[in-house]
Amino acid sequence: MMGNDRRDLFSEPQTSDPDFEQRLLADLECIARPRHARWDEFGLLAVRSMLQVRLRELGPVEEHHFAEGRDAGVNLIVRLPGQRTDLDPILVAAHYDGPLGSPGADDNASAVAALLELGRRWVARPPVRPVWLVAFDQEEWGMVGSGVLARELREQQQQLRLVVSLEMLGYTSERQHYPLDTMRAIYRDRGTSSPWSAIWVRRRCCCRLLRA
């Protein structure tokens, strides 16, 4: 992303929003509950229904149903037109299913709350390019929802300018603990998402994206 595209997406906000934190926290509290596709199915259905309501406030919601082996799910997609519909869209996504045995406040309710807030800002101040907001399902089991959508977009020869995947944005601890030691080599030993940490931090990447 270069030139005007970069300035449009990453420009610093000029006004403050006193309700910013309250909206993020309210969304986070609604999403953060056990919602695993195989062990907390009713929780997942409840969160999906809540997201459909929230996303409809931004625009028409496409329910992208898929089945991959024994896994089936529903990706939720809102396509914001932007100022120039002839340009390739930017896809911004977060998965809404959660990990086993956890309310998943960080993984990944924090990112879904951010996705909703980004959508509100882009509706109020449309960016130049179209933006597709995607809430992925079935990501905890091998990134199934995103994989299916990526394959279909490739088959359709749909061009994307940029893909931004929001993941675990609220982690602030000095040290991360993993169920498997091998995960430390991939995800490191310290949280690195400080621009988004704890949802309440508004500066840097968070605010720049919100002004796109």
Side-chain angles (χ1 to χ4, degrees):
M1 180 176 293
M2 302 177 63
N4 293 334
D5 290 335
R6 182 178 179 83
R7 289 193 293 271
D8 180 65
L9 186 60
F10 294 103
S11 59
E12 203 59 55
Q14 299 175 356
T15 60
S16 61
D17 183 348
D19 298 324
F20 176 82
E21 295 174 6
Q22 288 76 14
R23 286 195 304 270
L24 282 170
L25 185 58
D27 287 336
L28 179 66
E29 290 176 340
C30 288
I31 301 165
R33 58 174 295 174
R35 55 190 189 284
H36 192 280
R38 295 183 184 174
W39 282 276
D40 298 291
E41 184 177 358
F42 290 112
L44 181 61
L45 290 172
V47 169
R48 182 184 300 152
S49 297
M50 170 267 181
L51 283 177
Q52 289 170 325
V53 172
R54 292 282 204 276
L55 289 171
R56 287 192 191 104
E57 298 172 356
L58 309 177
V61 178
E62 174 188 342
E63 296 185 6
H64 175 247
H65 293 261
F66 62 87
E68 193 84 351
R70 63 174 292 188
D71 297 308
V74 184
N75 296 326
L76 304 175
I77 305 172
V78 175
R79 303 173 196 264
L80 304 178
Q83 300 174 38
R84 290 188 53 184
T85 57
D86 59 305
L87 297 177
D88 294 334
I90 296 168
L91 190 152
V92 183
H95 74 86
Y96 66 90
D97 60 319
L100 177 63
S102 168
D106 189 23
D107 184 10
N108 198 31
S110 60
V112 177
L115 180 70
L116 293 171
E117 185 62 19
L118 286 168
R120 295 183 186 109
R121 298 300 181 92
W122 282 324
V123 167
R125 184 179 182 271
V128 173
R129 289 181 177 274
V131 177
W132 293 1
L133 306 173
V134 183
F136 283 124
D137 195 3
Q138 294 281 10
E139 290 295 280
E140 292 292 337
W141 284 92
M143 299 182 288
V144 179
S146 61
V148 172
L149 182 62
R151 183 174 65 243
E152 292 182 5
L153 293 179
R154 186 164 53 247
E155 291 171 353
Q156 297 164 7
Q157 298 185 339
Q158 170 65 56
Q159 298 295 313
L160 299 173
R161 178 64 173 179
L162 176 71
V163 175
V164 179
S165 178
L166 306 176
E167 179 76 22
M168 299 177 66
L169 304 181
Y171 177 69
T172 59
S173 176
E174 289 294 322
R175 182 175 176 82
Q176 175 67 288
H177 300 280
Y178 296 103
L180 298 174
D181 288 338
T182 53
M183 297 176 67
R184 184 169 287 109
I186 301 174
Y187 297 107
R188 301 184 183 181
D189 199 43
R190 181 185 176 92
T192 57
S193 56
S194 58
W196 293 86
S197 62
I199 296 300
W200 296 279
V201 180
R202 306 192 203 187
R203 303 293 180 184
R204 301 177 187 174
C205 294
C206 179
C207 287
R208 291 167 183 169
L209 278 172
L210 292 177
R211 287 298 291 176

